Amino acid sequence: MEGLQRSRYGTMAEGGTEHTRSAASSPLRIVLAGKTGCGKSATGNSILGQPVFESRLGAQSVTRKCQGATGTWNGRSILVVDTPPIFEARAQDQEVYENIGDCYLLSAPGPHVLLLVTQLGRFTEQDVVAVTRVKEVFGARALRHMVILFTHKEDLADGSLHDYVANTDNLRLRGLVRECGQRYCAFNNRASGDERGEQLAGLMAVVEGLEREHQGAYLSNDLFFDAQRLQQGGGDPHGEGHVRYLAKVRSHVAKQKQDLQEAQRNRAFKALLRVKNWITSHIRIFAVLVICFLIFLAILISLCSTHEC
């Protein structure tokens, strides 16, 4: 592909002639996340207005390595990082950790936006797993920087995206939207011209709101600092420094996973404690309810016996 440059940490592509214009402020860093086949690469191409990421319909992931591509929006430089299957339930092998390491290196010092890509009307268990994996890769606070992007916007026809989200009976999607601070938008990745411009403007409006909320701060953690040090050192990607870095990637993900599991256990314990406290503080009401239930059960058994149930 013309303009594609190979980086030691993944693939870096130039997103077209717009990149040559100077940015008015710091670059906006966007990492694409989601399950395999959700349309991450096509979404990245829509954002940049250039086919820099390989994208085609299929059950298997086309993207095998992390890739970064740059463009501009209203004079501001944008970096989009496309990701291979690192947000899958079975994504645990060495190649996955190498790709996670590349994702950190390409988006260092940290992404402003984690763009969770999911298909309109098809938020499934795989999407739920992808969200969990995002937390394992980037930390539980990652959702504070997440925007949900629905593909297949054209399926809405004349309907409203807001109405779709507000009225969906998918409780897990509604919960995620709440966790993400009601930040969402939709793309038709086949759009061009004014339609593409309008939907990109919609995404950027959501992103600008997110940046205002965080006062321009981006997602960061200790592993991003390690990635920056490795970049600045300019060491051999197969050398000792890179090997140590990949070991840190593995331990970082393991710790995030452990922290999430502990947080889930704590939430379950607190929920049980709230139930216990309620029963203790409402013991008389609880006793009356139990007695009423037993009386009702006795009457029901008696009626059944009378009528030879």
Side-chain angles (χ1 to χ4, degrees), residues 228-290:
Q228 279 188 287
R229 282 196 291 268
L230 185 61
Q231 285 178 324
Q232 292 164 358
D236 182 352
H238 303 292
E240 185 178 340
H242 195 78
V243 171
R244 286 198 301 268
Y245 169 70
L246 290 180
K248 289 180 179 178
V249 171
R250 185 182 286 271
S251 63
H252 171 84
V253 174
K255 184 179 184 304
Q256 297 286 9
K257 187 173 182 177
Q258 182 179 354
D259 289 348
L260 285 172
Q261 291 172 344
E262 185 176 343
Q264 289 173 347
R265 286 194 295 268
N266 287 340
R267 283 195 295 270
F269 175 76
K270 288 179 180 178
L272 288 173
L273 190 61
R274 284 194 296 269
V275 171
K276 176 181 175 294
N277 290 339
W278 185 92
I279 292 174
T280 302
S281 60
H282 298 80
I283 188 65
R284 291 183 179 179
I285 297 174
F286 186 71
V288 169
L289 289 174
V290 171

Coordinates of all heavy atoms in Angstrom, one line a residue, residues 228-290:
Q228 N 7.2 4.1 26.7 CA 7.9 5.3 26.3 C 9.4 5.2 26.5 O 10.2 5.6 25.6 CB 7.4 6.5 27.1 CG 6.1 7.1 26.6 CD 5.8 8.3 27.3 OE1 5.4 8.3 28.5 NE2 6.0 9.5 26.7
R229 N 9.8 4.6 27.6 CA 11.3 4.4 27.8 C 11.9 3.5 26.8 O 13.0 3.7 26.3 CB 11.5 3.8 29.2 CG 11.4 4.8 30.3 CD 12.0 4.3 31.6 NE 11.2 3.2 32.2 CZ 10.2 3.3 33.1 NH1 9.9 4.5 33.5 NH2 9.5 2.3 33.5
L230 N 11.2 2.4 26.4 CA 11.7 1.5 25.3 C 11.8 2.3 24.0 O 12.8 2.1 23.3 CB 10.8 0.3 25.2 CG 11.2 -0.8 24.2 CD1 12.6 -1.4 24.6 CD2 10.2 -1.9 24.1
Q231 N 10.8 3.1 23.7 CA 10.9 3.9 22.4 C 12.1 4.8 22.5 O 12.8 4.9 21.5 CB 9.6 4.7 22.3 CG 8.4 3.9 21.8 CD 7.2 4.8 21.7 OE1 7.0 5.7 22.5 NE2 6.3 4.5 20.8
Q232 N 12.3 5.5 23.6 CA 13.3 6.5 23.7 C 14.7 5.8 23.6 O 15.7 6.4 23.2 CB 13.2 7.3 25.0 CG 12.0 8.2 24.9 CD 11.6 8.7 26.3 OE1 12.2 8.4 27.3 NE2 10.5 9.6 26.4
G233 N 14.8 4.6 24.2 CA 16.0 3.9 24.2 C 16.4 3.4 22.8 O 17.6 3.2 22.5
G234 N 15.4 3.2 21.9 CA 15.7 2.8 20.5 C 16.4 1.5 20.4 O 17.2 1.2 19.5
G235 N 16.1 0.6 21.3 CA 16.8 -0.7 21.4 C 16.3 -1.7 20.3 O 15.3 -1.4 19.6
D236 N 17.0 -2.8 20.2 CA 16.6 -3.9 19.3 C 15.3 -4.5 19.7 O 15.1 -4.9 20.8 CB 17.7 -4.9 19.3 CG 17.5 -6.1 18.3 OD1 16.4 -6.1 17.7 OD2 18.4 -6.9 18.2
P237 N 14.3 -4.5 18.7 CA 13.0 -5.1 19.1 C 13.1 -6.6 19.5 O 12.1 -7.1 20.0 CB 12.2 -4.9 17.8 CG 13.2 -4.8 16.7 CD 14.4 -4.1 17.3
H238 N 14.2 -7.2 19.2 CA 14.4 -8.6 19.6 C 15.5 -8.7 20.7 O 15.9 -9.8 21.1 CB 14.8 -9.5 18.4 CG 13.9 -9.4 17.3 ND1 12.6 -10.0 17.4 CD2 14.0 -8.9 16.1 CE1 12.0 -9.8 16.2 NE2 12.8 -9.1 15.4
G239 N 15.9 -7.5 21.2 CA 17.0 -7.5 22.2 C 16.5 -7.7 23.6 O 15.3 -7.9 23.9
E240 N 17.4 -7.6 24.6 CA 17.1 -7.9 26.0 C 16.1 -6.9 26.6 O 15.2 -7.3 27.3 CB 18.4 -7.8 26.8 CG 18.2 -8.2 28.3 CD 19.5 -8.2 29.0 OE1 20.6 -8.2 28.4 OE2 19.5 -8.1 30.3
G241 N 16.2 -5.6 26.2 CA 15.2 -4.6 26.7 C 13.8 -4.9 26.2 O 12.8 -4.8 27.0
H242 N 13.6 -5.4 25.0 CA 12.3 -5.7 24.5 C 11.8 -7.0 25.2 O 10.6 -7.0 25.5 CB 12.3 -5.9 23.0 CG 11.0 -5.8 22.3 ND1 10.3 -4.7 22.1 CD2 10.2 -6.8 21.9 CE1 9.1 -4.9 21.5 NE2 9.0 -6.2 21.4
V243 N 12.6 -7.9 25.4 CA 12.2 -9.1 26.1 C 11.7 -8.8 27.5 O 10.7 -9.3 28.0 CB 13.4 -10.1 26.2 CG1 13.0 -11.3 27.1 CG2 13.7 -10.6 24.8
R244 N 12.4 -7.9 28.2 CA 12.0 -7.5 29.6 C 10.6 -6.7 29.5 O 9.8 -6.9 30.3 CB 13.0 -6.6 30.2 CG 14.3 -7.3 30.7 CD 15.0 -6.5 31.7 NE 15.4 -5.2 31.1 CZ 16.6 -5.0 30.5 NH1 17.5 -6.0 30.4 NH2 16.9 -3.8 30.0
Y245 N 10.5 -5.9 28.4 CA 9.2 -5.2 28.2 C 8.1 -6.1 28.0 O 7.0 -6.0 28.7 CB 9.4 -4.3 27.0 CG 8.1 -3.6 26.6 CD1 7.4 -2.7 27.3 CD2 7.5 -4.0 25.4 CE1 6.3 -2.1 26.9 CE2 6.3 -3.4 24.9 CZ 5.7 -2.5 25.7 OH 4.5 -1.9 25.3
L246 N 8.2 -7.2 27.2 CA 7.2 -8.1 27.0 C 6.8 -8.9 28.3 O 5.7 -9.3 28.5 CB 7.5 -9.1 25.9 CG 7.6 -8.5 24.5 CD1 8.0 -9.6 23.4 CD2 6.3 -7.9 24.1
A247 N 7.8 -9.2 29.1 CA 7.5 -9.8 30.4 C 6.7 -8.9 31.3 O 5.8 -9.4 32.0 CB 8.9 -10.2 31.1
K248 N 6.9 -7.6 31.2 CA 6.1 -6.6 32.0 C 4.7 -6.6 31.4 O 3.8 -6.4 32.2 CB 6.8 -5.2 31.9 CG 8.1 -5.1 32.7 CD 8.6 -3.7 32.6 CE 9.9 -3.6 33.4 NZ 10.5 -2.3 33.3
V249 N 4.6 -6.7 30.1 CA 3.2 -6.7 29.5 C 2.4 -7.9 30.0 O 1.3 -7.7 30.5 CB 3.3 -6.8 27.9 CG1 1.9 -7.1 27.3 CG2 3.9 -5.6 27.3
R250 N 3.0 -9.1 30.1 CA 2.3 -10.2 30.6 C 1.9 -10.1 32.0 O 0.8 -10.4 32.4 CB 3.2 -11.5 30.4 CG 2.6 -12.8 30.7 CD 3.5 -13.9 30.6 NE 3.7 -14.3 29.2 CZ 3.0 -15.1 28.5 NH1 2.0 -15.8 29.1 NH2 3.3 -15.4 27.2
S251 N 2.9 -9.6 32.8 CA 2.6 -9.5 34.3 C 1.5 -8.4 34.5 O 0.7 -8.5 35.4 CB 3.9 -9.2 35.1 OG 4.4 -7.9 34.6
H252 N 1.6 -7.3 33.7 CA 0.6 -6.2 33.8 C -0.8 -6.7 33.5 O -1.7 -6.4 34.3 CB 1.0 -5.1 32.8 CG -0.1 -4.0 32.7 ND1 -0.1 -3.0 33.5 CD2 -1.1 -3.9 31.8 CE1 -1.2 -2.2 33.2 NE2 -1.8 -2.7 32.1
V253 N -1.0 -7.5 32.5 CA -2.3 -8.0 32.1 C -2.8 -9.0 33.2 O -3.9 -9.0 33.6 CB -2.3 -8.7 30.7 CG1 -3.6 -9.4 30.4 CG2 -2.0 -7.7 29.6
A254 N -1.9 -9.8 33.7 CA -2.2 -10.8 34.8 C -2.7 -10.0 36.0 O -3.7 -10.4 36.7 CB -1.0 -11.7 35.1
K255 N -2.0 -8.9 36.4 CA -2.4 -8.2 37.6 C -3.7 -7.5 37.4 O -4.6 -7.5 38.3 CB -1.3 -7.1 37.9 CG -1.6 -6.3 39.2 CD -0.5 -5.3 39.5 CE -0.8 -4.6 40.8 NZ -2.1 -4.0 40.9
Q256 N -3.9 -6.9 36.1 CA -5.2 -6.3 35.9 C -6.4 -7.3 36.0 O -7.4 -7.0 36.5 CB -5.2 -5.6 34.5 CG -4.2 -4.5 34.3 CD -4.6 -3.3 35.0 OE1 -5.5 -3.2 35.7 NE2 -3.9 -2.2 34.7
K257 N -6.1 -8.5 35.5 CA -7.2 -9.5 35.5 C -7.4 -9.9 37.0 O -8.6 -10.1 37.4 CB -6.7 -10.8 34.7 CG -7.8 -11.8 34.6 CD -7.3 -12.9 33.7 CE -8.4 -14.0 33.5 NZ -7.9 -15.0 32.5
Q258 N -6.4 -10.0 37.8 CA -6.5 -10.4 39.2 C -7.3 -9.3 39.9 O -8.2 -9.6 40.7 CB -5.2 -10.6 39.8 CG -5.2 -11.0 41.3 CD -3.8 -11.3 41.9 OE1 -2.9 -11.2 41.2 NE2 -3.8 -11.5 43.2
D259 N -7.0 -8.0 39.6 CA -7.6 -6.9 40.3 C -9.1 -6.9 39.9 O -10.0 -6.6 40.8 CB -7.0 -5.6 39.9 CG -5.6 -5.4 40.5 OD1 -5.2 -6.1 41.4 OD2 -4.9 -4.5 40.0
L260 N -9.5 -7.2 38.7 CA -10.9 -7.2 38.3 C -11.6 -8.3 39.0 O -12.8 -8.1 39.5 CB -11.0 -7.4 36.8 CG -10.6 -6.2 35.9 CD1 -10.6 -6.6 34.4 CD2 -11.7 -5.1 36.1
Q261 N -11.0 -9.5 39.1 CA -11.7 -10.6 39.8 C -11.9 -10.3 41.3 O -12.9 -10.6 41.8 CB -10.8 -11.9 39.6 CG -10.8 -12.4 38.2 CD -9.8 -13.6 38.0 OE1 -8.9 -13.8 38.8 NE2 -10.0 -14.3 36.9
E262 N -10.9 -9.6 41.9 CA -11.0 -9.3 43.3 C -12.1 -8.2 43.5 O -12.9 -8.3 44.4 CB -9.7 -8.7 43.8 CG -9.7 -8.4 45.3 CD -8.3 -8.0 45.8 OE1 -7.3 -8.2 45.1 OE2 -8.3 -7.3 46.9
A263 N -12.2 -7.3 42.5 CA -13.2 -6.2 42.6 C -14.6 -6.8 42.5 O -15.5 -6.4 43.2 CB -13.0 -5.2 41.5
Q264 N -14.7 -7.9 41.6 CA -16.0 -8.6 41.4 C -16.4 -9.3 42.7 O -17.6 -9.3 43.1 CB -16.0 -9.5 40.3 CG -15.9 -8.8 38.9 CD -15.7 -9.8 37.8 OE1 -15.3 -11.0 38.0 NE2 -15.8 -9.3 36.5
R265 N -15.4 -9.9 43.4 CA -15.7 -10.6 44.6 C -16.1 -9.6 45.7 O -17.0 -9.9 46.5 CB -14.5 -11.4 45.1 CG -14.2 -12.7 44.2 CD -13.2 -13.6 44.9 NE -11.9 -13.0 45.0 CZ -10.9 -13.1 44.1 NH1 -11.2 -13.9 43.0 NH2 -9.8 -12.5 44.2
N266 N -15.4 -8.5 45.7 CA -15.8 -7.5 46.7 C -17.2 -6.9 46.5 O -17.9 -6.7 47.5 CB -14.8 -6.3 46.6 CG -13.4 -6.7 47.2 OD1 -13.3 -7.7 48.0 ND2 -12.4 -5.9 46.9
R267 N -17.6 -6.7 45.2 CA -18.9 -6.3 44.9 C -20.0 -7.3 45.4 O -21.0 -6.9 45.9 CB -19.1 -6.0 43.4 CG -18.5 -4.7 43.0 CD -18.9 -4.2 41.6 NE -18.5 -5.2 40.6 CZ -17.4 -5.0 39.9 NH1 -16.5 -4.0 40.2 NH2 -17.0 -5.9 39.0
A268 N -19.7 -8.6 45.1 CA -20.6 -9.7 45.5 C -20.7 -9.7 47.0 O -21.8 -9.9 47.6 CB -20.1 -11.0 45.0
F269 N -19.6 -9.6 47.7 CA -19.6 -9.6 49.2 C -20.4 -8.4 49.7 O -21.2 -8.5 50.7 CB -18.2 -9.6 49.7 CG -18.1 -9.5 51.2 CD1 -18.4 -10.6 52.0 CD2 -17.8 -8.3 51.8 CE1 -18.3 -10.5 53.4 CE2 -17.7 -8.2 53.2 CZ -18.0 -9.3 54.0
K270 N -20.2 -7.2 49.2 CA -20.9 -6.0 49.6 C -22.4 -6.2 49.4 O -23.2 -5.7 50.2 CB -20.4 -4.8 48.9 CG -19.0 -4.4 49.4 CD -18.5 -3.2 48.6 CE -17.1 -2.8 49.1 NZ -16.5 -1.6 48.4
A271 N -22.8 -6.8 48.3 CA -24.2 -7.0 48.0 C -24.8 -7.9 49.0 O -25.9 -7.7 49.5 CB -24.4 -7.6 46.6
L272 N -24.1 -9.0 49.3 CA -24.6 -9.9 50.4 C -24.7 -9.2 51.7 O -25.7 -9.4 52.5 CB -23.7 -11.1 50.5 CG -23.8 -12.1 49.3 CD1 -22.7 -13.2 49.5 CD2 -25.2 -12.8 49.2
L273 N -23.7 -8.4 52.0 CA -23.7 -7.6 53.3 C -24.9 -6.7 53.4 O -25.5 -6.5 54.4 CB -22.4 -6.9 53.4 CG -22.1 -6.2 54.8 CD1 -22.0 -7.3 55.9 CD2 -20.8 -5.5 54.7
R274 N -25.2 -6.0 52.2 CA -26.4 -5.1 52.2 C -27.7 -5.9 52.5 O -28.6 -5.4 53.2 CB -26.5 -4.4 50.9 CG -25.5 -3.3 50.7 CD -25.8 -2.4 49.5 NE -25.7 -3.1 48.3 CZ -24.6 -3.1 47.5 NH1 -23.5 -2.5 47.9 NH2 -24.7 -3.8 46.4
V275 N -27.8 -7.1 51.9 CA -29.0 -7.9 52.1 C -29.1 -8.3 53.6 O -30.2 -8.2 54.2 CB -29.0 -9.2 51.2 CG1 -30.1 -10.1 51.6 CG2 -29.1 -8.8 49.8
K276 N -27.9 -8.7 54.2 CA -27.9 -9.1 55.6 C -28.3 -7.9 56.5 O -29.1 -8.1 57.4 CB -26.5 -9.6 55.9 CG -26.3 -9.9 57.4 CD -24.9 -10.4 57.7 CE -24.7 -10.6 59.2 NZ -24.7 -9.3 59.9
N277 N -27.7 -6.8 56.2 CA -28.1 -5.6 57.0 C -29.5 -5.2 56.9 O -30.2 -4.8 57.8 CB -27.2 -4.4 56.5 CG -25.7 -4.6 56.9 OD1 -25.4 -5.3 57.8 ND2 -24.8 -3.9 56.2
W278 N -30.1 -5.4 55.6 CA -31.5 -5.0 55.5 C -32.4 -6.0 56.3 O -33.3 -5.6 57.0 CB -31.9 -5.1 54.0 CG -33.3 -4.7 53.7 CD1 -33.8 -3.5 53.4 CD2 -34.5 -5.5 53.8 NE1 -35.1 -3.5 53.3 CE2 -35.6 -4.7 53.5 CE3 -34.7 -6.9 54.1 CZ2 -36.9 -5.2 53.5 CZ3 -36.0 -7.4 54.1 CH2 -37.1 -6.5 53.8
I279 N -32.0 -7.3 56.2 CA -32.8 -8.3 57.0 C -32.7 -8.0 58.5 O -33.7 -8.0 59.2 CB -32.3 -9.7 56.7 CG1 -32.6 -10.1 55.2 CG2 -32.9 -10.7 57.7 CD1 -32.0 -11.4 54.8
T280 N -31.5 -7.6 58.9 CA -31.3 -7.3 60.4 C -32.1 -6.1 60.8 O -32.7 -6.1 61.9 CB -29.8 -7.1 60.7 OG1 -29.0 -8.2 60.3 CG2 -29.5 -6.8 62.1
S281 N -32.1 -5.0 60.0 CA -32.8 -3.8 60.3 C -34.3 -3.9 60.1 O -35.0 -3.1 60.7 CB -32.2 -2.6 59.5 OG -32.4 -2.8 58.2
H282 N -34.7 -4.9 59.4 CA -36.1 -5.1 59.1 C -36.6 -6.5 59.6 O -37.4 -7.1 58.9 CB -36.4 -4.9 57.6 CG -36.1 -3.5 57.1 ND1 -34.8 -3.1 56.7 CD2 -36.9 -2.4 56.9 CE1 -34.8 -1.9 56.3 NE2 -36.1 -1.4 56.4
I283 N -36.0 -6.9 60.7 CA -36.3 -8.3 61.1 C -37.7 -8.6 61.4 O -38.3 -9.7 61.0 CB -35.4 -8.6 62.3 CG1 -35.5 -10.1 62.7 CG2 -35.8 -7.7 63.5 CD1 -34.9 -11.0 61.6
R284 N -38.4 -7.6 61.9 CA -39.9 -7.8 62.2 C -40.7 -7.9 60.9 O -41.5 -8.8 60.8 CB -40.4 -6.6 63.0 CG -39.8 -6.6 64.5 CD -40.5 -5.5 65.3 NE -39.9 -5.5 66.6 CZ -40.3 -4.6 67.5 NH1 -41.2 -3.6 67.2 NH2 -39.8 -4.6 68.8
I285 N -40.4 -7.0 60.0 CA -41.1 -7.1 58.7 C -40.7 -8.4 58.0 O -41.6 -9.1 57.4 CB -40.6 -5.9 57.8 CG1 -41.1 -4.6 58.4 CG2 -41.2 -6.1 56.4 CD1 -40.6 -3.4 57.6
F286 N -39.5 -8.8 58.0 CA -39.1 -10.1 57.4 C -39.8 -11.2 58.1 O -40.2 -12.2 57.4 CB -37.5 -10.2 57.5 CG -37.0 -11.4 56.8 CD1 -37.0 -11.4 55.4 CD2 -36.5 -12.5 57.5 CE1 -36.4 -12.5 54.8 CE2 -36.0 -13.6 56.8 CZ -36.0 -13.6 55.5
A287 N -39.9 -11.2 59.4 CA -40.6 -12.3 60.1 C -42.0 -12.4 59.7 O -42.6 -13.5 59.5 CB -40.4 -12.1 61.6
V288 N -42.7 -11.2 59.6 CA -44.1 -11.2 59.2 C -44.3 -11.8 57.8 O -45.2 -12.5 57.6 CB -44.6 -9.7 59.3 CG1 -46.0 -9.6 58.7 CG2 -44.7 -9.3 60.8
L289 N -43.3 -11.4 56.9 CA -43.4 -11.9 55.5 C -43.3 -13.4 55.5 O -44.0 -14.1 54.8 CB -42.3 -11.2 54.7 CG -42.5 -9.7 54.3 CD1 -41.3 -9.2 53.6 CD2 -43.8 -9.5 53.5
V290 N -42.3 -13.9 56.3 CA -42.1 -15.4 56.4 C -43.4 -16.1 56.9 O -43.8 -17.1 56.4 CB -40.9 -15.7 57.2 CG1 -40.8 -17.2 57.5 CG2 -39.6 -15.2 56.5

